[in-house]
Amino acid sequence: MANVSEKSSGPALLAGLGLFIAFETAAFYGLQYLTSGLGEANQNQPENTIVANWVKTMVFFVAHLLLVIAAMLVLSNRLPRRYRGQMMGWFYVAVLMSFVLIIPLFG
């Protein structure tokens, strides 16, 4: 019974959600600023190629993934044990958000 982990409480999950939203918002605007020089602003040009926007997409995706992995590594060492059960769930949601955030990046 000593190895059974405690479940996170409701307030701890809400705090995790709030911090997750704050992290994703800061990551999105930071990466949007870093990738602002890449890609084409006007998609309806004659002889437009997908290459420039593909580079912007891949740079954004890889940089977001690096930020998420770095945050997970730092937090997994800093958080108390009872809150570490949330880490993998938020990690998977953040990886899915990498795909979702590409939509407003070009919007």
Side-chain angles (χ1 to χ4, degrees):
M1 288 298 238
N3 291 334
V4 176
S5 64
E6 297 177 24
K7 295 288 184 185
S8 293
S9 64
L13 287 172
L14 285 176
L17 177 65
L19 291 172
F20 175 78
I21 291 171
F23 170 77
E24 287 295 327
T25 302
F28 175 74
Y29 285 114
L31 292 174
Q32 184 181 28
Y33 175 74
L34 288 175
T35 60
S36 62
L38 302 173
E40 295 288 331
N42 184 5
Q43 295 297 314
N44 299 320
Q45 297 179 29
E47 300 176 14
N48 190 13
T49 63
I50 196 170
V51 174
N53 289 329
W54 181 253
V55 169
K56 182 176 183 175
T57 302
M58 287 294 100
V59 167
F60 180 85
F61 184 73
V62 170
H64 186 265
L65 199 57
L66 287 173
L67 277 175
V68 168
I69 290 171
M72 189 182 95
L73 290 173
V74 168
L75 286 176
S76 66
N77 286 328
R78 301 273 182 190
L79 283 175
R81 181 174 296 220
R82 65 180 174 265
Y83 301 125
R84 287 186 195 161
Q86 295 185 35
M87 287 301 299
M88 286 310 292
W90 292 121
F91 175 76
Y92 293 139
V93 173
V95 170
L96 290 175
M97 285 299 292
S98 296
F99 295 106
V100 174
L101 289 177
I102 290 174
I103 295 168
L105 181 66
F106 289 105

